Amino acid sequence: MKTWRSGSVLTVAVAQAVAACGGGGGTGSSAPPVSQPPPTTTPPGSAKTFIVSGAISGFGSVIVNGERYDTSTTTVRIEERIGTVSELRVGEVVRMEAEEDGRGGRRARTIDMRRLLQGAVESVDASRGTMTVAGQRVIIDDDTSFDDSFAERSIGSIGVGERVEVHGFLGSDGQARATRLDRASAGDGEIEVKGMLGSLDAAARRFVIGDLRVDYSAASLERFGAEGPREGDLVEVKGREYLADGTLRATRVEREGDRFDGGDSTEVEVQGLITRFGSSEDFDVAGKKVRTNAGTSFVHG
């Protein structure tokens, strides 16, 4: 397992496959150096499988987490509909199933893009670089990409009441760090929120995400199992209307965090903020559980 930090974003590569690694060092003697075996590579004709999650940083194919992936035969899904690579934008967070050939070239088999939030802007604090969308506090910084429709391409372009689409990462404190900001598509009235489920009232079928109250009495529940929603679950909530008391009437609630599972030979690379912290040996990144031990390498952290 390898872990490294870039700015305020924690990127974690979790190797589920068994891998070999070598190392060596000098002793200060005049003895000739000991030759090291060549690095382990994927044999020609075979492919190493990856599940990758992170923000798009460039194109020419597509670049995620510093790696370039060929997209000539990629299947793209955008908010659960079939899309194209040309519709993707810098700053959007994607999940990819990919493979690496024996020469180190990477190819994306599938790319799945889902926004983090969508809803009306409720407040803007330009001095602090924050805004509130659908009850969620969003941090805007110099690394946030803006759609061309924002004239200033800064937080000063955002007005209260505008409907926006936020891409980015959720932190353990419930705040979101925006990697990209778009205006919501005309006619798309859906309200969408991802966050940690709290203040659960199973009898009333209500809970809270950030400052947003959610009524799930009429919602379809996905990926929860027989136990249903629980405190601390990372969930995605969708709805279209608010009740008289300002509570969102949810149409769907989905438990996040299981979208990174692969087979025994699959390596998982997850970029995101820490969404749960128990200790340096036990925490979650983007809803994915991470365990570390004495063999874990921490770089810049």
Side-chain angles (χ1 to χ4, degrees), residues 37-286:
T40 303
T41 59
T42 305
S46 63
K48 184 178 181 179
T49 301
F50 290 83
I51 297 177
V52 180
S53 176
I56 297 173
S57 59
F59 291 95
S61 293
V62 67
I63 302 171
V64 177
N65 297 351
E67 297 284 349
R68 186 181 301 274
Y69 294 84
D70 179 80
T71 55
S72 56
T73 59
T74 303
T75 299
V76 178
R77 298 192 69 85
I78 297 175
E79 291 296 323
E80 303 181 8
R81 67 169 175 83
I82 297 297
T84 64
V85 173
S86 64
E87 294 178 82
L88 299 173
R89 298 290 182 267
V90 168
E92 291 179 343
V93 176
V94 296
R95 175 195 182 276
M96 297 192 299
E97 294 181 7
E99 64 183 21
E100 181 179 270
D101 62 28
R103 297 179 177 85
R106 293 193 176 193
R107 179 179 69 87
R109 298 172 182 165
T110 66
I111 296 178
D112 183 8
M113 190 284 286
R114 296 190 187 184
R115 61 202 171 213
L116 181 66
L117 305 170
Q118 179 169 279
V121 176
E122 297 166 352
S123 67
V124 177
D125 188 337
S127 64
R128 296 187 177 183
T130 64
M131 65 179 183
T132 303
V133 178
Q136 313 307 303
R137 189 166 184 260
V138 180
I139 299 170
I140 308 293
D141 59 23
D142 292 340
D143 293 327
T144 304
S145 297
F146 285 79
D147 182 72
D148 292 343
S149 62
F150 293 96
E152 298 178 23
R153 300 193 184 184
S154 70
I155 195 168
S157 302
I158 305 167
V160 172
E162 288 189 82
R163 285 185 50 77
V164 297
E165 182 177 303
V166 180
H167 303 264
F169 302 111
L170 183 72
S172 59
D173 58 0
Q175 297 184 105
R177 177 181 176 272
T179 54
R180 182 176 179 85
L181 192 66
D182 292 304
R183 284 195 167 91
S185 301
D188 185 353
E190 189 166 63
I191 301 154
E192 182 175 340
V193 174
K194 287 186 180 73
M196 308 301 291
L197 187 157
S199 301
L200 177 64
D201 185 338
R205 298 183 70 81
R206 289 194 172 198
F207 57 81
V208 170
I209 300 178
D211 291 331
L212 178 69
R213 298 187 302 274
V214 178
D215 182 310
Y216 68 97
S217 58
S220 63
L221 302 179
E222 300 183 15
R223 299 179 182 267
F224 287 101
E227 70 277 7
R230 296 180 298 180
E231 288 276 343
D233 281 345
L234 177 62
V235 298
E236 176 187 72
V237 176
K238 293 186 177 184
R240 288 189 169 273
E241 62 179 357
Y242 291 96
L243 301 174
D245 64 353
T247 300
L248 176 66
R249 185 197 299 273
T251 56
R252 189 174 91 171
V253 181
E254 179 181 356
R255 182 176 177 271
E256 295 278 297
D258 295 330
R259 300 171 61 235
F260 304 108
D261 294 337
D264 291 339
S265 61
T266 300
E267 182 171 299
V268 178
E269 298 178 0
V270 181
Q271 179 188 31
L273 299 178
I274 294 175
T275 49
R276 181 192 62 83
F277 185 80
S279 69
S280 60
E281 293 82 31
D282 174 26
F283 55 91
D284 294 356
V285 174

Side-chain angles (χ1 to χ4, degrees), residues 1-4 12-17 51 266-270 288-291:
M1 178 186 292
K2 298 179 181 178
T3 307
W4 65 96
V12 178
V14 183
Q16 293 180 325
I51 297 177
T266 300
E267 182 171 299
V268 178
E269 298 178 0
V270 181
K288 176 66 178 178
K289 185 176 291 297
V290 178
R291 299 280 191 184

